[in-house]
Amino acid sequence: MKHLFVSDMDGTLLNRSGLISAESAEIITRLSRQGALITVATARTPATVEPLMADTFTTPPAIVMTGAAMWDRSTLTYIHPRHIDPATAQTITDRFLTFGISPLVYTIAPGAGIIHAYFHGRPTPREQKFIDERSRLTLKKIHIIPRPSAGQTHPDTILILGLGPLDKIYPLADDLRQTGICSVSAYPDIFNHQLAYIEVFAPGVDKASAVLALKHHIGADRLTVFGDNLNDLPMMAVADTAVAVANALPEVQAAATTIIPANDTNAVAHYLAATFTP
């Protein structure tokens, strides 16, 4: 029987410092070399996934950008990126600006391994920090457009991201959901619950569809997932076993079949070691 294990990263596999600990990396690498099918499903792009997992060996593709694509870690290539229709991308960008949220538009050209992202507007200090933290990444280039023109779009858009206060992000998410033209994920920042992220994708994109596609792709019989935040709920709903860390949001713990200790205790790796049988 093939058993696929898929873990969220931030707040779940990563510790409070936002890293995979040396102990977790050693356990996951050892289990993977013994045949365990372990990977991640994250809102992150490969640009930050790869540095964070540099010391962690895994074999199945990683699910990135909340399921908008898979990432082959051995060849550093995207698998089946799901782009947003250009007219839809323009509508979404305009709605962001109407609600006072500056969109960060991610693009992946066919066959490319690098993301080009375009920030529309003048970054706030929090947005600038987000951009600065990613400015030296080899797999992502961010371009700032301080005075975007009306109706400006970018070819091959795969994700439109925003960061802002809850009272702006959640109404924007509700507005976009009512249009029915896209898939929307909105969830609080795990470090500051007064802030939230919004991610907008092509219709049907979420972690649930991605983990099921990966399960089929590798021929797995059983699926276990690990999560902590609202965007993990879809994949938890379709898993055979849904595991929440103790620091997960109440809604996530309520949806879980199993609760393990908090993310700062190597709990995901310890659960894997106790569950996987070579």
Side-chain angles (χ1 to χ4, degrees), residues 134-167:
R134 291 154 177 80
S135 63
R136 296 174 184 263
L137 298 173
T138 59
L139 296 174
K140 180 192 294 181
K141 303 299 179 186
I142 298 180
H143 314 271
I144 297 177
I145 306 173
R147 295 185 182 87
S149 59
Q152 185 169 2
T153 60
H154 305 280
D156 307 308
T157 295
I158 192 168
L159 160 66
I160 301 176
L161 173 72
L163 168 64
L166 292 174
D167 60 0

Side-chain angles (χ1 to χ4, degrees), residues 20-67:
I20 299 176
S21 73
E23 181 180 352
S24 287
E26 186 280 325
I27 292 171
I28 293 171
T29 295
R30 171 168 47 83
L31 296 176
S32 295
R33 295 196 186 281
Q34 293 173 357
L37 300 172
I38 303 168
T39 192
V40 295
T42 177
R44 291 176 175 269
T45 71
T48 55
V49 170
E50 281 302 321
L52 287 168
M53 298 189 70
D55 297 324
T56 307
F57 174 74
T58 56
T59 54
I63 294 167
V64 294
M65 292 176 284
T66 313

Side-chain angles (χ1 to χ4, degrees), residues 102-132:
S102 295
L104 183 58
V105 181
Y106 287 67
T107 69
I108 301 174
I114 296 177
I115 285 177
H116 286 273
Y118 301 87
F119 185 87
H120 289 222
R122 298 185 182 277
T124 65
R126 181 64 184 83
E127 290 166 337
Q128 189 63 56
K129 181 176 184 292
F130 180 92
I131 292 168
D132 290 343

Side-chain angles (χ1 to χ4, degrees), residues 17 19 28 69 79 93-94 97 128 132 181 184:
S17 299
L19 300 170
I28 293 171
I79 301 172
T93 300
D94 291 344
L97 295 173
Q128 189 63 56
D132 290 343
I181 62 174
V184 181

Side-chain angles (χ1 to χ4, degrees), residues 1 58 83 92 111 117 120-121 124 144 183 195 203 206 250 272:
M1 175 181 289
T58 56
H83 292 99
I92 295 165
H120 289 222
T124 65
I144 297 177
S183 179
L195 296 175
D206 62 13
L272 291 168

